[in-house]
Amino acid sequence: DQQVKQNSPSLSVQEGRISILNCDYTNSMFDYFLWYKKYPAEGPTFLISISSIKDKNEDGRFTVFLNKSAKHLSLHIVPSQPGDSAVYFCAATGAGSYQLTFGKGTKLSVIP
Amino acid sequence: KAGVTQTPRYLIKTRGQQVTLSCSPISGHRSVSWYQQTPGQGLQFLFEYFSETQRNKGNFPGRFSGRQFSNSRSEMNVSTLELGDSALYLCASSGTGNIGGELFFGEGSRLTVL
């Protein structure tokens, strides 16, 4: 049973437009959520996170929104740049847990 | 500050063999986690160590094991390799004692089982 789901395996966006990556979770015990970006032949790198006590967190061009009632979060990238082309993983964890549960990833392609 | 270092980067084994992968965390980091990445399953948690103690283990068979040394370096071992063990094995370290802090990943060890 997949507890973190990224239903879109891929997404293509024009440079300068907004990229919206979505993630759904089923485990009510999750209270901290993270996004990681992965380029080919590299390990994932941390992008942005959000605690369940918040519904929005911004860092430059990246904003994560959390809708707890819908168990849904999204990552917005504005404006999208070609260098943003990568696989984006949504991850979640809960209090007292020492592991992250990842989604399967969404491959973002930003077209110049 | 050096990042997480994993060795070897690539290796090929045959079914039935065993393999040991090594991970050196960022200096000062005491938590080391291992994840398996496959195309069909994404990143799946294997285990996490803190100060030489395994605190959590994922849903993998007993053929997968690990350990952490007093200098925080970690190894994972897979015995009796199966074709399905072909994957990218990622190690990550954390500077905080809890998972609320971000994980810093290495580049991974890509294992191919023939």
Side-chain angles (χ1 to χ4, degrees):
Chain A
D1 176 37
Q2 215 181 338
Q3 298 185 64
V4 177
K5 298 180 184 178
Q6 294 177 256
N7 292 320
S8 299
S10 63
L11 174 68
S12 289
V13 172
Q14 287 289 132
E15 181 179 2
R17 306 293 289 268
I18 183 172
S19 295
I20 300 176
L21 295 91
N22 294 301
C23 178
D24 297 296
Y25 63 96
T26 59
N27 190 336
S28 299
M29 301 303 292
F30 288 151
D31 62 3
Y32 193 75
F33 305 89
L34 308 90
W35 285 92
Y36 281 80
K37 179 170 72 173
K38 187 180 186 299
Y39 293 116
E42 294 184 11
T45 55
F46 171 77
L47 198 55
I48 192 170
S49 63
I50 188 167
S51 164
S52 62
I53 63 173
K54 295 185 175 181
D55 54 18
K56 177 182 174 182
N57 188 27
E58 287 182 83
D59 184 1
R61 297 186 297 114
F62 303 91
T63 303
V64 57
F65 295 92
L66 175 62
N67 182 333
K68 290 186 290 293
S69 60
K71 292 190 174 67
H72 176 84
L73 63 156
S74 60
L75 174 68
H76 292 209
I77 306 173
V78 184
S80 301
Q81 299 174 353
D84 297 329
S85 297
V87 178
Y88 289 78
F89 291 96
C90 171
T93 188
S97 173
Y98 302 112
Q99 69 180 78
L100 292 180
T101 301
F102 283 87
K104 294 187 178 182
T106 296
K107 183 176 182 180
L108 173 65
S109 299
V110 180
I111 304 162
Chain B
K1 194 174 187 181
V4 176
T5 304
Q6 292 188 245
T7 57
R9 289 291 312 279
Y10 302 91
L11 65 166
I12 300 173
K13 294 285 187 178
T14 57
R15 281 180 298 174
Q17 287 187 310
Q18 74 161 12
V19 67
T20 299
L21 308 177
S22 179
C23 172
S24 293
I26 291 173
S27 178
H29 286 192
R30 294 164 63 190
S31 170
V32 174
S33 304
W34 289 89
Y35 289 81
Q36 180 196 64
Q37 184 186 9
T38 57
Q41 297 299 321
L43 279 83
Q44 291 189 291
F45 173 76
L46 282 157
F47 22 67
E48 189 265 355
Y49 290 88
F50 183 84
S51 293
E52 302 179 67
T53 299
Q54 184 183 92
R55 295 195 295 188
N56 206 1
K57 190 177 193 300
N59 189 24
F60 278 82
R63 300 184 297 106
F64 292 80
S65 63
R67 59 178 175 169
Q68 186 182 33
F69 302 95
S70 58
N71 62 358
S72 294
R73 192 177 69 84
S74 177
E75 288 182 347
M76 68 162 284
N77 184 77
V78 187
S79 62
T80 320
L81 284 166
E82 300 177 359
L83 295 179
D85 296 333
S86 294
L88 180 67
Y89 290 89
L90 291 160
C91 170
S93 72
S94 172
T96 65
N98 61 68
I99 203 66
E102 64 175 279
L103 295 181
F104 294 84
F105 283 87
E107 294 180 318
S109 293
R110 183 165 295 282
L111 170 66
T112 301
V113 182
L114 302 176

